[in-house]
Protein backbone atom coordinates (compact mmCIF):
# COMPACT_ATOMS: atom_id res chain seq x y z
CA UNK A 1 0.00 0.00 0.00
CA UNK A 2 2.81 2.39 0.80
CA UNK A 3 4.38 1.90 -2.62
CA UNK A 4 1.11 2.62 -4.45
CA UNK A 5 0.49 5.76 -2.41
CA UNK A 6 4.01 7.04 -3.03
CA UNK A 7 3.45 6.81 -6.79
CA UNK A 8 0.20 8.77 -6.71
CA UNK A 9 -1.93 5.63 -7.15
CA UNK A 10 -4.83 5.12 -4.79
CA UNK A 11 -4.59 1.88 -2.86
CA UNK A 12 -7.24 -0.72 -3.85
CA UNK A 13 -8.91 -0.58 -0.43
CA UNK A 14 -9.59 3.15 -0.87
CA UNK A 15 -11.34 2.44 -4.21
CA UNK A 16 -13.40 -0.30 -2.56
CA UNK A 17 -14.44 2.08 0.23
CA UNK A 18 -15.40 4.71 -2.36
CA UNK A 19 -17.49 2.22 -4.34
CA UNK A 20 -19.20 0.98 -1.19
CA UNK A 21 -19.96 4.58 -0.22
CA UNK A 22 -21.34 5.32 -3.68
CA UNK A 23 -23.49 2.21 -3.49
CA UNK A 24 -24.85 3.17 -0.05
CA UNK A 25 -25.68 6.65 -1.33
CA UNK A 26 -27.23 5.26 -4.51
CA UNK A 27 -29.42 2.75 -2.64
CA UNK A 28 -30.42 5.38 -0.08
CA UNK A 29 -31.66 7.64 -2.88
CA UNK A 30 -33.01 4.79 -4.95
CA UNK A 31 -33.95 1.68 -2.91
CA UNK A 32 -35.27 -0.17 -5.97
CA UNK A 33 -31.82 -0.10 -7.57
CA UNK A 34 -33.28 1.47 -10.72
CA UNK A 35 -32.82 5.22 -10.80
CA UNK A 36 -35.53 7.08 -12.73
CA UNK A 37 -35.17 10.55 -14.21
CA UNK A 38 -37.08 12.27 -11.40
CA UNK A 39 -34.81 10.59 -8.83
CA UNK A 40 -31.72 11.55 -10.84
CA UNK A 41 -32.88 15.17 -10.88
CA UNK A 42 -33.51 15.03 -7.13
CA UNK A 43 -30.00 13.62 -6.53
CA UNK A 44 -28.55 16.69 -8.22
CA UNK A 45 -31.07 19.10 -6.70
CA UNK A 46 -32.55 20.06 -10.08
CA UNK A 47 -36.28 20.85 -10.29
CA UNK A 48 -38.14 19.58 -13.36
CA UNK A 49 -39.04 23.13 -14.45
CA UNK A 50 -35.59 24.67 -13.92
CA UNK A 51 -33.14 25.87 -16.56
CA UNK A 52 -30.89 22.85 -15.88
CA UNK A 53 -33.70 20.27 -16.23
CA UNK A 54 -33.22 19.56 -19.95
CA UNK A 55 -29.44 19.34 -19.54
CA UNK A 56 -29.83 16.85 -16.67
CA UNK A 57 -32.37 14.87 -18.72
CA UNK A 58 -29.91 14.67 -21.61
CA UNK A 59 -27.19 13.52 -19.21
CA UNK A 60 -29.52 10.86 -17.84
CA UNK A 61 -30.44 9.70 -21.37
CA UNK A 62 -26.78 9.59 -22.39
CA UNK A 63 -25.93 7.23 -19.52
CA UNK A 64 -29.00 5.02 -19.78
CA UNK A 65 -26.94 2.56 -21.81
CA UNK A 66 -29.65 -0.08 -22.28
CA UNK A 67 -32.38 2.54 -22.97
CA UNK A 68 -34.77 1.22 -20.33
CA UNK A 69 -35.47 4.73 -18.95
CA UNK A 70 -33.67 3.88 -15.72
CA UNK A 71 -30.07 4.02 -14.59
CA UNK A 72 -28.76 1.09 -12.59
CA UNK A 73 -25.76 1.30 -10.26
CA UNK A 74 -23.25 0.23 -12.94
CA UNK A 75 -24.50 2.89 -15.35
CA UNK A 76 -24.32 5.44 -12.51
CA UNK A 77 -20.73 4.51 -11.65
CA UNK A 78 -19.75 4.56 -15.34
CA UNK A 79 -21.28 8.04 -15.65
CA UNK A 80 -19.43 9.36 -12.61
CA UNK A 81 -16.16 7.80 -13.75
CA UNK A 82 -16.39 9.38 -17.19
CA UNK A 83 -17.33 12.80 -15.85
CA UNK A 84 -14.78 12.82 -13.04
CA UNK A 85 -11.85 10.93 -14.58
CA UNK A 86 -12.49 10.33 -18.28
CA UNK A 87 -10.24 11.24 -21.20
CA UNK A 88 -11.02 14.46 -23.08
CA UNK A 89 -12.08 12.58 -26.24
CA UNK A 90 -14.50 10.46 -24.22
CA UNK A 91 -15.89 13.60 -22.59
CA UNK A 92 -16.31 15.19 -26.01
CA UNK A 93 -18.16 12.11 -27.30
CA UNK A 94 -20.36 12.17 -24.22
CA UNK A 95 -20.96 15.94 -24.57
CA UNK A 96 -21.99 15.46 -28.18
CA UNK A 97 -24.48 12.79 -27.11
CA UNK A 98 -25.86 15.10 -24.41
CA UNK A 99 -26.07 18.05 -26.82
CA UNK A 100 -27.79 15.95 -29.52
CA UNK A 101 -31.24 16.49 -28.05
CA UNK A 102 -33.15 14.58 -30.74
CA UNK A 103 -30.54 11.78 -30.86
CA UNK A 104 -30.23 11.87 -34.66
CA UNK A 105 -26.43 11.81 -34.75
CA UNK A 106 -25.75 15.45 -35.59
CA UNK A 107 -26.13 18.90 -34.10
CA UNK A 108 -28.18 21.48 -35.96
CA UNK A 109 -28.25 25.22 -35.34
CA UNK A 110 -31.30 24.96 -33.07
CA UNK A 111 -29.52 22.43 -30.79
CA UNK A 112 -26.33 24.49 -30.74
CA UNK A 113 -28.25 27.66 -29.90
CA UNK A 114 -30.02 25.78 -27.09
CA UNK A 115 -26.62 24.63 -25.79
CA UNK A 116 -25.39 28.23 -25.84
CA UNK A 117 -28.45 29.57 -24.04
CA UNK A 118 -28.35 26.91 -21.31
CA UNK A 119 -24.61 26.49 -21.21
CA UNK A 120 -22.70 26.76 -17.98
CA UNK A 121 -20.36 28.93 -20.02
CA UNK A 122 -22.97 31.73 -20.07
CA UNK A 123 -20.80 34.01 -17.97
CA UNK A 124 -17.91 33.48 -20.37
CA UNK A 125 -20.25 34.23 -23.28
CA UNK A 126 -21.26 37.48 -21.65
CA UNK A 127 -17.59 38.39 -21.37
CA UNK A 128 -17.19 37.78 -25.10
CA UNK A 129 -19.90 40.36 -25.78
CA UNK A 130 -21.48 38.07 -28.37
CA UNK A 131 -25.13 37.16 -28.80
CA UNK A 132 -26.13 33.47 -28.81
CA UNK A 133 -26.71 33.73 -32.58
CA UNK A 134 -23.21 35.16 -33.11
CA UNK A 135 -21.70 32.39 -31.00
CA UNK A 136 -23.67 29.78 -32.96
CA UNK A 137 -22.41 31.25 -36.24
CA UNK A 138 -18.83 31.16 -34.92
CA UNK A 139 -19.18 27.53 -33.82
CA UNK A 140 -20.55 26.47 -37.20
CA UNK A 141 -17.81 28.43 -39.00
CA UNK A 142 -15.14 26.67 -36.88
CA UNK A 143 -16.63 23.18 -36.78
CA UNK A 144 -19.03 22.50 -39.69
CA UNK A 145 -16.29 21.55 -42.16
CA UNK A 146 -18.55 20.68 -45.09
CA UNK A 147 -20.90 23.66 -44.46
CA UNK A 148 -24.05 21.52 -44.60
CA UNK A 149 -25.62 23.17 -41.54
CA UNK A 150 -25.10 20.07 -39.39
CA UNK A 151 -22.24 19.10 -37.10
CA UNK A 152 -21.46 15.40 -37.03
CA UNK A 153 -19.68 13.70 -34.15
CA UNK A 154 -16.47 13.57 -36.17
CA UNK A 155 -16.69 17.28 -37.04
CA UNK A 156 -17.40 18.06 -33.38
CA UNK A 157 -14.40 16.04 -32.14
CA UNK A 158 -12.02 17.55 -34.70
CA UNK A 159 -13.44 21.07 -34.43
CA UNK A 160 -13.28 21.32 -30.66
CA UNK A 161 -9.77 19.89 -30.59
CA UNK A 162 -8.70 22.35 -33.30
CA UNK A 163 -10.41 25.50 -31.97
CA UNK A 164 -8.90 27.03 -28.83
CA UNK A 165 -11.76 29.53 -28.74
CA UNK A 166 -14.33 26.71 -28.66
CA UNK A 167 -12.35 24.77 -26.06
CA UNK A 168 -12.42 27.82 -23.81
CA UNK A 169 -16.09 28.44 -24.45
CA UNK A 170 -17.18 24.83 -23.80
CA UNK A 171 -14.73 24.15 -20.98
CA UNK A 172 -17.35 23.76 -18.26
CA UNK A 173 -19.60 21.62 -20.42
CA UNK A 174 -16.97 19.16 -21.62
CA UNK A 175 -15.44 19.00 -18.17
CA UNK A 176 -18.38 19.19 -15.79
CA UNK A 177 -16.54 17.43 -12.98
CA UNK A 178 -16.55 20.51 -10.73
CA UNK A 179 -20.33 20.89 -11.15
CA UNK A 180 -20.91 17.18 -10.47
CA UNK A 181 -18.57 17.10 -7.47
CA UNK A 182 -20.23 20.19 -5.99
CA UNK A 183 -23.76 18.82 -6.51
CA UNK A 184 -22.89 15.39 -5.13
CA UNK A 185 -20.92 16.67 -2.16
CA UNK A 186 -23.76 19.04 -1.25
CA UNK A 187 -25.91 15.94 -0.99
CA UNK A 188 -23.10 13.67 0.31
CA UNK A 189 -23.47 11.30 -2.65
CA UNK A 190 -19.82 10.93 -3.61
CA UNK A 191 -19.18 7.93 -1.42
CA UNK A 192 -16.42 9.68 0.50
Amino acid sequence: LGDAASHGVDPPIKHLDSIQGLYRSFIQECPSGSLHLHEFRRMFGVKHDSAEAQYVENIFRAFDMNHDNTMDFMEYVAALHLVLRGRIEDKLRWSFKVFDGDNNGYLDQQEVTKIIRKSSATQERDLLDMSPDQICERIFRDVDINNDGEITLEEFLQGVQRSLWLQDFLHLDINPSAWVKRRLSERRLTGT
Side-chain angles (χ1 to χ4, degrees):
L1 286 177
D3 186 45
S6 68
H7 286 88
V9 177
D10 293 333
I13 194 76
K14 185 175 180 184
H15 288 298
L16 181 59
D17 288 344
S18 293
I19 291 172
Q20 288 172 337
L22 279 172
Y23 185 72
R24 280 191 301 272
S25 297
F26 182 85
I27 289 301
Q28 183 179 9
E29 287 289 321
C30 176
S32 71
S34 294
L35 185 66
H36 291 86
L37 176 59
H38 70 277
E39 295 165 318
F40 188 70
R41 281 190 193 125
R42 186 179 67 227
M43 286 178 87
F44 286 96
V46 174
K47 296 185 185 317
H48 70 86
D49 58 350
S50 71
E52 293 177 308
Q54 184 63 49
Y55 183 68
V56 170
E57 183 175 339
N58 289 352
I59 291 170
F60 181 86
R61 185 178 42 81
F63 285 115
D64 176 15
M65 303 296 185
N66 60 3
H67 307 291
D68 65 352
N69 294 318
T70 64
M71 190 182 297
D72 62 28
F73 181 67
M74 293 305 292
E75 290 169 324
Y76 177 72
V77 169
L80 287 179
H81 183 269
L82 174 67
V83 170
L84 299 175
R85 298 182 181 208
R87 297 178 311 137
I88 187 69
E89 183 173 336
D90 294 332
K91 289 179 182 184
L92 287 172
R93 288 178 184 279
W94 172 76
S95 293
F96 182 88
K97 190 173 181 179
V98 170
F99 296 158
D100 184 12
D102 57 11
N103 204 27
N104 64 359
Y106 63 86
L107 303 178
D108 59 29
Q109 291 190 357
Q110 181 180 5
E111 288 168 319
V112 172
T113 301
K114 188 183 289 186
I115 293 163
I116 293 164
R117 291 186 194 283
K118 296 189 180 198
S119 173
S120 56
T122 300
Q123 294 171 342
E124 293 173 30
R125 182 197 74 219
D126 291 342
L127 294 175
L128 295 172
D129 198 31
M130 295 172 72
S131 72
D133 290 337
Q134 290 170 322
I135 294 170
C136 183
E137 288 173 21
R138 169 88 187 256
I139 291 171
F140 270 82
R141 188 174 62 241
D142 289 357
V143 177
D144 184 17
I145 296 170
N146 62 3
N147 295 316
D148 65 353
E150 302 171 343
I151 298 173
T152 64
L153 173 61
E154 203 56 42
E155 287 175 320
F156 183 75
L157 292 174
Q158 291 173 8
V160 172
Q161 291 178 10
R162 188 177 55 244
S163 171
L164 294 176
W165 177 85
L166 192 52
Q167 287 173 26
D168 287 342
F169 181 76
L170 292 177
H171 177 71
L172 295 175
D173 291 302
I174 64 173
N175 189 12
S177 60
W179 183 86
V180 169
K181 285 179 184 176
R182 185 178 68 249
R183 290 294 186 146
L184 292 178
S185 68
E186 287 170 357
R187 296 183 155 18
R188 291 190 168 89
L189 299 175
T190 57
T192 57

